Amino acid sequence: MQDHFARALYEMFPEPVVVVDRQRMILSLNEAALRQFGFGEEELLGQPASILYATEDDYAACLNKRNVENDPSPITEAIYAFKRKDGTVFSARLRSTRVDGPDGESLGFIGVIHDISDILKLDKARRNARKILDTALGAIPEGFAIFDSEERLMVYNEAYRRVCGPAGPFLHLGMTAADIIRIAYEGGHYPEAPLGSPLAAEWIESRLFDFRNPTGHAKVFPYANNRWLRVENFKTKDGNTIALRIDVTAMKQTELALERQRQEYLSLLQNIPDLVGRFTPDRQVLFVNRNYADFFGTTPEAMVGTDLLDHVPERMKEPTRLAFDTVLPEEGIRSKEVLHVRPGRPETWILWSLLAVFDGTRVSEVISVGRDITMQMQQQERITRQTLELQRKNDALNQFTGTVSHDLKAPLRHIAMFSDMINDDLQAGNLEDLPSYAVHLRQSARRMDRLIESLLDYSQIAYQIGNWALVPLSDAVTDAILNLGSLIRAADARVDVGDLPVIRGDAELLKRLAQNLIGNAVKYRRPDTKPVVRVYGESSTDTDYLHVEDNGIGIDPRFAGKIFDVFQRLHRDESVYQGTGIGLALAKRIVESHNGRIELDTSFTGGARFTVAFPKDNGSAKE
Ligand code: ADP
């Protein structure tokens, strides 16, 4: 019964079992052995065991292991190479048990063969993998090291050694992280690190703290000579620390260069006088420079992230919204001049340019640039005004030359006429009228002389005043009255002077103005009435007035405009009222050069009343 079980166990045993006699002749093999070696049972029974070994050396080693004569141990174990019937070789552990007879003599051996070729293969693969890993670690430029839970160096590659700088040559397995940091620090490897304790100790501690408490985020800091290192530590589940050290100098330099460029570009944007802004298509502010924010009375910080419409004045909201909503790819830059009137600020003309950046067909960003063109607009306005003024002056000049030549021709015609008459009378031998003709000739020549004199006078009064000063009109009037002394006395006139304002102007010209007006007031008197002239002033918030009023013959309101033109006289008869018709034209020119107005007050009926209005802001400050 027991035999039967033993037999079944032997047959069913999963590992090959070979039984040999003491001469190593095969006595028996189980099923597993036949399968392992690939022989039929009859091919092996009675054969020497050497047939199963891969080489004679393997067999010899086996024999050697078990020296039969003085073999103390009944069991030996060793690994040998065996050979199958098809010639293939495999490694196996042979556990050999000596079977001794009742007298102690050896009967033979039972060998249990355990195929370990798979394990060996696995081992080889593992060794290979390890070699590949080592080669790879050696080849990668990133420093790589593993520290165990006691912070002792377990693995590191060549790149790691390099980034350890002065600590590199001392690196060895088992070295602590603290030692590595300390040696590198003492070798001056960290330019940022403070020198001297206790700051040094603190710095080393902070580095160790980073090492011990990995955040999962890389830190970049300067090291060695102007280089940058990216430090990243990971803790593994089994308490090891993986240290990655990557030299990122090139990247950092590019980053720094980019940052420098960004700063330059930003400072350019901040310093140009233009208003620059970048927006999302729905007007969210991405960036505005200080000028832009300042224009809307705020700061860039307050604008970024908000809707542009929150900052533009009410009047501009709709046009702004429309501008953003209607940008088209094919349009390019859209520009518009806008006049901004803001409380407490000067009126400003801005040339707004809107440019949409397209990403395919979709607007990805809108750029808005505003340029202050107030100066140009004012210049343009000034040029337009000056052109109009020039046009007006040109017209006046044409009219002036027409009048002047006509009036100058009159005495010339007289002279020509009387010369002809003298000639005729001389030929006829009639000398009687010659003296009277000569008087006429002289009168015409004198008149011509006066006309030319007054014309010269008129033309020399400049339109623009060079010497602006504060002039009390009372001074100008007093001087004028002094100059008119003989005329006033001859006419036995009275000149009453009331309160007069002080205005900005040219003292000499203002005196001439007063002189012309007062002179006319005395000159155009009624023959039967004692001339009384009133000169007085008046002031409103923005205008100073000068009035000159007389009790003379007055002026027909129909000629209220005409009398201010050159050579326009209402009295042709020089024997009664002498004059050249220049006085009022000159007065008008003087008043206009003070940016004022002169007119005949047609509502006044007791004589003539001239009113001169001087605006208080007469532009003198800008000259
Ligand atoms: P003039 O006095 O040399 O004739 P003005 O240009 O001074 O030239 O005056 C133009 C004309 O206006 C005068 O000829 C005169 O007919 C009229 N006029 C000017 N001032 C007065 C005045 N105060 N009263 C009446 N008529 C005046």
Side-chain angles (χ1 to χ4, degrees), residues 181 190 202-212 221 229 231 233 245:
I181 294 175
Y190 304 113
E202 236 169 67
W203 192 85
I204 291 175
E205 266 316 304
S206 80
R207 290 300 313 279
L208 268 174
F209 181 85
D210 282 355
F211 177 83
R212 287 168 187 157
F221 61 88
L229 190 67
V231 171
N233 300 315
R245 305 283 181 266

Side-chain angles (χ1 to χ4, degrees), residues 418-559:
F418 284 109
S419 320
D420 286 348
M421 284 160 73
I422 290 172
N423 197 32
D424 290 351
D425 279 13
L426 278 178
Q427 280 184 3
N430 184 1
L431 305 179
E432 200 180 315
D433 293 331
L434 287 187
S436 122
Y437 294 164
V439 169
H440 281 295
L441 273 180
R442 205 174 307 122
Q443 274 177 352
S444 291
R446 272 205 202 116
R447 173 153 179 78
M448 182 111 175
D449 186 50
R450 277 209 311 279
L451 285 176
I452 290 170
E453 273 298 311
S454 56
L455 261 183
L456 272 177
D457 212 17
Y458 177 75
S459 65
Q460 275 163 10
I461 297 288
Y463 268 108
Q464 295 291 329
I465 295 175
N467 302 319
W468 287 94
L470 280 178
V471 182
L473 279 182
S474 55
D475 287 1
V477 168
T478 308
D479 287 353
I481 293 172
L482 267 177
N483 286 354
L484 292 167
S486 53
L487 176 73
I488 292 171
R489 273 192 301 280
D492 189 24
R494 200 179 86 216
V495 183
D496 295 338
V497 182
D499 281 345
L500 288 165
V502 176
I503 68 158
R504 282 188 69 81
D506 182 299
E508 178 61 25
L509 292 181
L510 290 170
K511 186 199 76 188
R512 301 270 315 255
L513 169 70
Q515 199 168 316
N516 281 340
L517 293 179
I518 298 168
N520 277 353
V522 175
K523 185 164 61 170
Y524 294 103
R525 61 184 178 269
R526 290 180 214 263
D528 50 352
T529 313
K530 175 184 163 75
V532 177
V533 182
R534 287 184 62 225
V535 184
Y536 57 99
E538 197 188 333
S539 280
S540 71
T541 43
D542 53 1
T543 315
D544 289 315
Y545 296 93
L546 166 70
H547 302 286
V548 179
E549 183 186 301
D550 63 52
N551 60 347
I553 57 170
I555 300 167
D556 187 334
R558 280 180 298 162
F559 306 118

Side-chain angles (χ1 to χ4, degrees), residues 276-281 286 292 323-324 326-336 352-358 363-370:
V276 183
R278 286 174 45 218
F279 309 88
T280 62
L286 296 171
Y292 199 107
F324 270 75
T326 54
V327 279
L328 295 169
E330 60 272 15
E331 197 175 16
I333 297 180
R334 182 194 293 182
S335 296
K336 194 176 178 192
W352 288 107
S353 301
L354 209 64
L355 170 73
V357 181
F358 281 85
V363 181
S364 60
E365 199 177 301
V366 178
I367 296 170
S368 156
V369 177

Side-chain angles (χ1 to χ4, degrees), residues 520 523-524 550 554-555 563 568-571 579-581 583-584 608:
N520 277 353
K523 185 164 61 170
Y524 294 103
D550 63 52
I555 300 167
I563 47 174
Q568 292 303 322
R569 307 200 69 220
L570 302 181
H571 305 89
T580 54
L584 285 181

